Amino acid sequence: MAANARNMAPRRVLIVEDEAPIRRMIAFNLVRAGFEVEEAADCAAARSCIVDRCPDLVLVDWMLPDASGLELTRTLRRDERSRELPIIMLTARAEERDRVSGLEGGADDYITKPFSGRELVARINAVLRRTGSTGEEVLEIGDLRLDPVGHRIHAGGSEVTLGPTEYRLLKFLLENQERVFTRGQLLDHVWGGNVYVEERTIDVHVRRLRQALEPYAADRFVQTVRGAGYRLSAS
Ligand code: CA
């Protein structure tokens, strides 16, 4: 199974909390759980962090000095760049009544203080899974690696250049290794259901993908399954 292992690039979490001891406790727990963290003590700092480099998830405290966490959440939801950014609201017990409006404001989940580091990490992982923001994982099979962040593919230590369609096709197959897809299914997933493309077009792109990977003998990974379709396999 080692050949199919997916290496997770570290996920970045922005912690927006004005109380430094709580912020540091959260940061400590997240770093220990393998996350990268950034810290902001108010909404203004949080917004500039997000503009600099969008994190994978934001923890927003309900009570902040310059605006409420709810207002920050609403602002982030209105902005194109952060519209789909997963947000977890941190609330104190006295603010429990406000949780519902936190969710209405666009948060994906909330967690009540005091919470354990383990509980927080579990909730973060659940939200990341649910919101499907796993797009930054490095995907690999054998010595073939695709890095979606840098949009780069390496095979046997050399960089491989692919056209945009072959790139999407390879990425989809890497995300779904060992599964057989019919041409129709590949059309839906890689080309999108609304585009009119003949099924034989897929064969053309598969051939191009194999040619690009051939010098690295990685062509053996993209397998034709007679009467069914295609499969990416390590065997
Ligand atoms: Ca606070």
Side-chain angles (χ1 to χ4, degrees):
M1 283 308 285
N4 298 330
R6 293 173 175 196
N7 287 350
M8 297 286 282
R11 318 300 285 284
R12 292 176 54 252
V13 175
L14 171 63
I15 307 161
V16 192
E17 162 67 89
D18 55 318
E19 286 162 84
I22 297 178
R23 199 173 64 230
R24 284 189 202 123
M25 181 276 286
I26 294 172
F28 173 80
N29 279 289
L30 295 190
V31 167
R32 200 172 53 175
F35 291 94
E36 270 179 29
V37 298
E38 274 201 83
E39 300 180 32
D42 54 38
C43 296
R47 280 198 299 269
S48 66
C49 273
I50 291 166
V51 169
D52 281 349
R53 194 177 161 207
C54 201
D56 296 301
L57 183 140
V58 191
L59 293 175
V60 179
D61 185 38
W62 183 266
M63 297 289 279
L64 292 164
D66 51 349
S68 75
L70 179 61
E71 286 171 273
L72 175 62
T73 300
R74 287 195 173 128
T75 310
L76 294 176
R77 285 289 174 259
R78 276 197 300 265
D79 188 332
E80 179 109 12
R81 282 166 301 192
S82 52
R83 202 168 47 204
E84 299 191 350
L85 184 56
I87 299 172
I88 298 179
M89 189 78 83
L90 309 176
T91 70
R93 214 160 273 289
E95 298 152 5
E96 259 181 65
R97 206 177 337 183
D98 298 325
R99 290 158 159 198
V100 175
S101 44
L103 294 179
E104 280 168 359
D108 297 284
D109 199 1
Y110 57 82
I111 186 162
T112 308
K113 294 178 188 171
F115 46 78
S116 69
R118 186 196 259 176
E119 186 185 358
L120 179 64
V121 168
R123 299 287 278 276
I124 289 175
N125 283 329
V127 167
L128 286 173
R129 264 196 308 276
R130 208 169 68 220
T131 54
S133 70
T134 52
E136 295 201 347
E137 267 172 42
V138 170
L139 303 167
E140 61 185 348
I141 186 168
D143 58 0
L144 180 65
R145 284 169 60 87
L146 184 148
D147 166 18
V149 177
H151 214 275
R152 283 173 173 215
I153 299 153
H154 285 89
S158 312
E159 186 159 0
V160 180
T161 314
L162 293 180
T165 305
E166 288 76 39
Y167 178 90
R168 286 205 310 278
L169 181 62
L170 178 61
K171 184 164 182 271
F172 177 74
L173 290 171
L174 279 166
E175 286 165 343
N176 298 281
Q177 296 177 24
E178 307 296 338
R179 278 188 55 188
V180 179
F181 291 95
T182 64
R183 289 169 179 79
Q185 287 170 325
L186 289 175
L187 269 183
D188 285 346
H189 290 289
V190 180
W191 276 258
N194 299 324
V195 182
Y196 179 76
V197 182
E198 282 184 69
E199 291 198 351
R200 345 168 257 234
T201 307
I202 292 171
D203 301 334
V204 173
H205 289 285
V206 168
R207 201 178 315 133
R208 282 190 202 153
L209 177 60
R210 281 182 173 145
Q211 278 164 0
L213 299 178
E214 205 174 6
Y216 316 101
D219 58 320
R220 68 182 186 272
F221 295 139
V222 187
Q223 301 172 349
T224 305
V225 181
R226 223 169 263 284
Y230 293 105
R231 168 177 60 203
L232 190 73
S233 173
S235 59

